[in-house]
Amino acid sequence: MDFVNILSEKEGNMAVITINRPNKLNALNRETITELHRAFDELDKDKEVQVIIVTGSGPKAFVAGADISEFADFSIKEGSILAARGQELLFDFVEQLTTPVIAAINGFALGGGLELAMACHFRVASDNARMGLPEVTLGLIPGYGGTQRLPQLVGKGRALEMIMTGEMIGVEKAHLYGLVNHIVAQEELLSYCKQIGEKIAKNSPKAIATAINAVNAGFSRSGYRSEIEGFGASFGTADFKEGTSAFLEKRKPNFKGE
Ligand code: COA
């Protein structure tokens, strides 16, 4: 497979997808999202592959979010399309795959990065990982399912505190919250995920697929539309222009609440 922003490698009955833009902390631009869709789709259709692990390149980041430089000048309509397209191609797509997907969080998992990890079937983190949904610091809301999946995983109160403060949490708290299932040393992260993968691969792929569908069916889909509308509406605010300009100019934002 010919990819520019990711690596997709098969090893026996497992596959590892690595998001490979380390100089941008593996931020998800449009092309990366399209490539991830293609890689997940091809691996899911491959009968040999029983477990997919997704991780980030380099020692610093899983994914530091959606690529802010790509959407700083978007309109309300473009913002809504960005969220809807991303959810369809990647976040909902991964959650609904019937091949198990494990997120190996090897550093920062912020914004769209944490949203991608949360769309995976479960998460393992390295001891240096830091997680958060910092969108409100940019005058935005999470747009890739974060307002839905974070409360599902950690509970409403903890999710709202994380979303409203925009602060990162470390692995100990993420583990306590149930956001990650295991914490391991960074150099052991992939081998640990593969050990879990081996246990999964011993079981019936058909039964596992059915279980994934049954678990997903227990969660309401109605909130995602509301998130897409709210994310799009944020693009029409002065706070969004201030928040994204401040990030790109490497200064603190001065929000007016407008
Ligand atoms: N979108 C676009 N570029 C990003 C990015 C993102 N989400 N996150 C990091 N980058 C880029 C930086 O702009 C920088 O590029 P440059 O070297 O060309 O200037 C490079 O990645 C390295 O990041 P830098 O900020 O210098 O690293 P740091 O160690 O000082 O800080 C973070 C790390 C994660 C705290 C910081 O990069 C950050 O806050 N990123 C944005 C997180 C975010 O708000 N995500 C949600 C988006 S909706």
Side-chain angles (χ1 to χ4, degrees), residues 23-25 27 60 64 66-68 108 110 134 138 168 247 250:
N23 295 340
K24 292 290 173 191
L25 303 185
K60 207 171 156 183
D67 191 322
I68 298 165
F108 290 115
L110 302 175
L138 297 165
M168 298 181 210
F247 176 80
K250 300 188 190 290

Side-chain angles (χ1 to χ4, degrees), residues 17 30 37 45 66 71 74 85 95 101-102 107 114 129 131 138 143 153 157 167 182 202 206 216 224 240 248 253 258:
I17 297 177
R30 183 188 304 255
H37 172 83
K45 285 178 179 144
F71 61 65
F74 272 16
R85 179 182 171 278
E95 182 171 62
V101 184
I102 307 173
L114 181 57
M131 283 153 256
L138 297 165
L153 286 164
E167 282 185 355
H182 309 278
K202 289 196 181 105
K206 183 81 187 154
N216 284 341
Y224 291 88
F240 166 73
L248 296 172
E258 292 160 8

Side-chain angles (χ1 to χ4, degrees), residues 117-119 123 148-155 158 177-179:
M118 292 193 295
R123 289 141 292 284
Q148 306 304 300
R149 294 190 182 99
L150 189 62
Q152 286 167 17
L153 286 164
V154 307
R158 287 164 166 172
Y177 280 10
L179 188 52

Side-chain angles (χ1 to χ4, degrees), residues 75-96:
S75 65
I76 293 174
K77 188 162 177 220
E78 287 170 318
S80 301
I81 292 170
L82 180 75
R85 179 182 171 278
Q87 290 195 20
E88 186 185 335
L89 275 184
L90 185 58
F91 300 83
D92 292 353
F93 190 75
V94 167
E95 182 171 62
Q96 287 160 20

Side-chain angles (χ1 to χ4, degrees), residues 50 72 95 172:
Q50 284 180 270
E95 182 171 62
E172 301 294 340

